[in-house]
Amino acid sequence: MPLDGQNFDIIIVGGGLAGNCLALALGGSGLKIAVIEANTREQLLNSAMGDRALALAAGTIATLEGLGIWQGIEAKATAITDIHVSDKGHFGKVRLSARKQNVAALGYVITARDIESHVAELVDQTQITQIRPARLVGLMSDNHAVNVSIKHNDDSLCCSAKLLVGADGGNSSVRKLLDIPQQVTEYGQTALVTTVKTTLPHRNVAYERFTKSGPLAFLPIGKNQCSVVWTRTCEDADALMSGGENDFLERLQQCFGYRLGQLTLTAPRRAFPVSLVRAERMQSGRAVIVGNAVHQLHPVAGQGFNLGLRDVVQLVDGLLKHHGLGEDIGSATFLDDYVTAREQDHRNTIAFTDTLVKLFSNDWLAFAAARNIGLVALDHIPVAKALLSRHAMGLAQRLPKLGNRIQRDG
Ligand SMILES: Cc1cc2nc3c(=O)[nH]c(=O)nc-3n(C[C@H](O)[C@H](O)[C@H](O)COP(=O)(O)OP(=O)(O)OC[C@H]3O[C@@H](n4cnc5c(N)ncnc54)[C@H](O)[C@@H]3O)c2cc1C
């Protein structure tokens, strides 16, 4: 059937992690779905962005299991059984442990490429219409439908849907076409990402080390390897990227110390500018935005995808209920309820990440003393530690359960 002029129940713009997880969760629901993705599969597999390691919280793993995704990537992921948080040059430390929380792992680490490509393969096995490489170029909502214009190769297509979901990332075209303004907080920092081999085993410990020029995270990935997210001031990051690999490694070793022995680089260095970007609204007409299209966070706390997946879970829960009752899935009432349900989690997660960045990127004596007293206190108060662990595991938020959609839908 030609794509031009087709009517869908839901059009999802963006076949990244948020968009494809949403599509998978709705597959088999009876809803007619299309995903519009700008990149080809080859571009996705070869993108340098795919090198970044994602720390997945325990709550995220439970959702991925329910969607039948985790089973196919578990072997490529490394468990985090302990998290060690410290403040370079000061005495404060917090140690979180899976054993003390009675769970097998606090979270897992996997490269974005491994999870993105697996989710994309699962979408290929469904009846979902995929339009790619294609870009959304226009949209207009009325009382009954949202009409979209798409550039697909050299063709221009028009399609319509009851609901449009913008899952098209930080530079979201959907957000721009809806005229939703965004608030940007610049931290003046760049995240340098690479992978190192260590001469001592990581023993599944994730290290978060706060230094006066920004946080440094070592995430266990594979045997004796750690994914590094090293946040520096922009000038410092430029100097580290333009210098030789040996200088880079020497500075990294100095900053992290010898807790894991001698470090060797096993992947190219990549630089990701970081800031906090928040859309002022999530909804307009028959369209809603999710994932990075709404919030782009500093990677310090590893919350971006975890938060985006919780958007997906909430939206799927509402869509299935409304569709089951035969109600309009693009109505203002439905979208208002969704937005209300997501606001608090967004506020809390953004505040948590932003506070960490600001508090720990500051070397004023009063700040340093306060945060070190805080870290020591946290390490000695079991209730506070349990709460922090629940936050790190992504279990601090109440979310609907998706169940095992893949098995249920056959
Ligand atoms: C260095 C770094 C480390 C990180 N670490 C973590 C971590 O440890 N844990 C964590 O949870 N998160 C982490 N994140 C955040 C995480 O990577 C993102 O939150 C997540 O990938 C966002 O997924 P998304 O699907 O919302 O957006 P994206 O991944 O940006 O996907 C958007 C998709 O939309 C497509 N698109 C864009 N425009 C259009 C258009 N006009 N038409 C059609 N398609 C379009 C794009 O091609 C893309 O495929 C990290 C990020 C960085 C940069």
Side-chain angles (χ1 to χ4, degrees):
M1 196 201 252
L3 285 168
D4 197 30
Q6 277 207 46
N7 300 314
F8 295 92
D9 289 309
I10 303 175
I11 294 178
I12 301 169
V13 183
L17 282 176
N20 273 347
C21 286
L22 175 64
L24 265 187
L26 294 170
S29 61
L31 288 160
K32 190 176 170 197
I33 296 163
V35 178
I36 303 171
E37 167 54 41
N39 285 329
T40 60
R41 192 54 54 77
E42 292 65 39
Q43 283 168 323
L44 168 77
L45 291 177
N46 297 326
S47 158
M49 281 291 283
D51 285 349
R52 73 197 187 281
L54 300 182
L56 307 179
T60 296
I61 305 297
T63 301
L64 295 177
E65 250 171 1
L67 293 175
I69 296 171
W70 182 242
Q71 295 77 339
I73 51 172
E74 187 175 2
K76 292 183 174 164
T78 304
I80 299 176
T81 56
D82 295 87
I83 302 178
H84 188 279
V85 185
S86 60
D87 193 2
K88 187 171 189 254
H90 300 280
F91 54 85
K93 280 184 190 57
V94 178
R95 281 156 288 219
L96 304 177
S97 130
R99 196 173 42 81
K100 294 213 172 116
Q101 301 305 320
N102 286 321
V103 291
L106 294 169
Y108 286 81
V109 185
I110 187 163
T111 66
R113 183 174 297 106
D114 281 339
I115 177 166
E116 281 168 344
S117 54
H118 181 63
V119 174
E121 278 164 19
L122 291 178
V123 175
D124 286 347
Q125 294 162 21
T126 66
Q127 300 297 314
I128 293 161
T129 303
Q130 295 187 64
I131 312 176
R132 65 163 195 260
R135 287 195 157 270
L136 175 87
V137 289
L139 71 92
M140 196 178 292
S141 278
D142 62 29
N143 285 342
H144 308 286
V146 50
N147 300 297
V148 302
S149 320
I150 305 160
K151 195 98 191 128
H152 179 31
N153 296 318
D154 288 334
D155 298 333
S156 294
L157 308 174
C158 288
C159 297
S160 66
K162 291 184 191 128
L163 175 68
L164 179 85
V165 181
D168 50 346
N171 201 18
S172 169
S173 306
V174 175
R175 182 182 48 69
K176 287 179 200 156
L177 289 166
L178 294 172
D179 256 339
I180 298 179
Q182 55 181 13
Q183 296 169 1
V184 183
T185 308
E186 293 295 352
Y187 296 117
Q189 296 180 339
T190 300
L192 303 176
V193 175
T194 187
T195 309
V196 291
K197 202 167 172 11
T198 60
T199 49
L200 296 178
H202 52 60
R203 296 181 203 281
N204 296 84
V205 180
Y207 293 90
E208 186 78 70
R209 192 139 220 246
F210 291 97
T211 78
K212 68 178 172 196
S213 53
L216 168 62
F218 268 52
L219 303 173
I221 191 159
K223 193 162 178 278
N224 289 2
Q225 291 222 106
C226 287
S227 166
V228 176
V229 183
W230 192 15
T231 314
R232 309 294 295 181
T233 59
C234 296
E235 305 76 59
D236 213 7
D238 285 348
L240 282 162
M241 286 300 287
S242 55
E245 282 195 351
N246 287 344
D247 291 343
F248 178 90
L249 196 57
E250 203 176 302
R251 294 275 304 278
L252 180 64
Q253 183 90 59
Q254 245 172 36
C255 193
F256 183 71
Y258 285 84
R259 200 182 290 275
L260 294 177
Q262 194 80 40
L263 310 176
T264 333
L265 284 190
T266 56
R269 300 162 278 173
R270 307 217 188 268
F272 296 86
V274 288
S275 47
L276 165 63
V277 186
R278 278 172 291 186
E280 287 183 6
R281 282 178 287 126
M282 286 180 244
Q283 176 242 338
S284 178
R286 290 181 162 268
V288 65
I289 49 176
V290 297
N292 267 34
V294 187
H295 40 69
Q296 247 182 302
L297 310 184
H298 193 299
V300 61
Q303 297 281 329
F305 170 56
N306 293 303
L307 182 62
L309 192 63
R310 298 201 290 272
D311 293 345
V312 167
V313 170
Q314 188 74 52
L315 187 58
V316 169
D317 180 65
L319 283 170
L320 295 179
K321 283 182 186 148
H322 274 248
H323 175 58
L325 294 170
E327 290 172 3
D328 180 3
I329 55 169
S331 72
T333 340
F334 166 63
L335 293 177
D336 284 348
D337 286 350
Y338 164 76
V339 168
T340 308
R342 290 305 298 139
E343 274 170 345
Q344 174 125 20
D345 186 16
H346 284 187
R347 266 199 304 273
N348 291 350
T349 309
I350 287 170
F352 173 71
T353 305
D354 189 47
T355 307
L356 271 187
V357 181
K358 290 187 175 145
L359 187 63
F360 285 96
S361 301
N362 194 319
D363 213 36
W364 287 2
L365 199 58
F367 267 92
R371 71 179 178 234
N372 274 275
I373 291 166
L375 284 178
V376 172
L378 204 53
D379 202 34
H380 288 88
I381 303 172
V383 177
K385 237 166 121 163
L387 264 176
L388 184 67
S389 303
R390 285 189 69 72
H391 208 106
M393 289 190 281
L395 300 174
Q397 303 77 19
R398 275 164 181 265
L399 267 185
K401 265 210 154 56
L402 282 187
N404 193 329
R405 297 224 19 94
I406 296 294
Q407 279 174 17
R408 198 168 68 220
D409 300 334

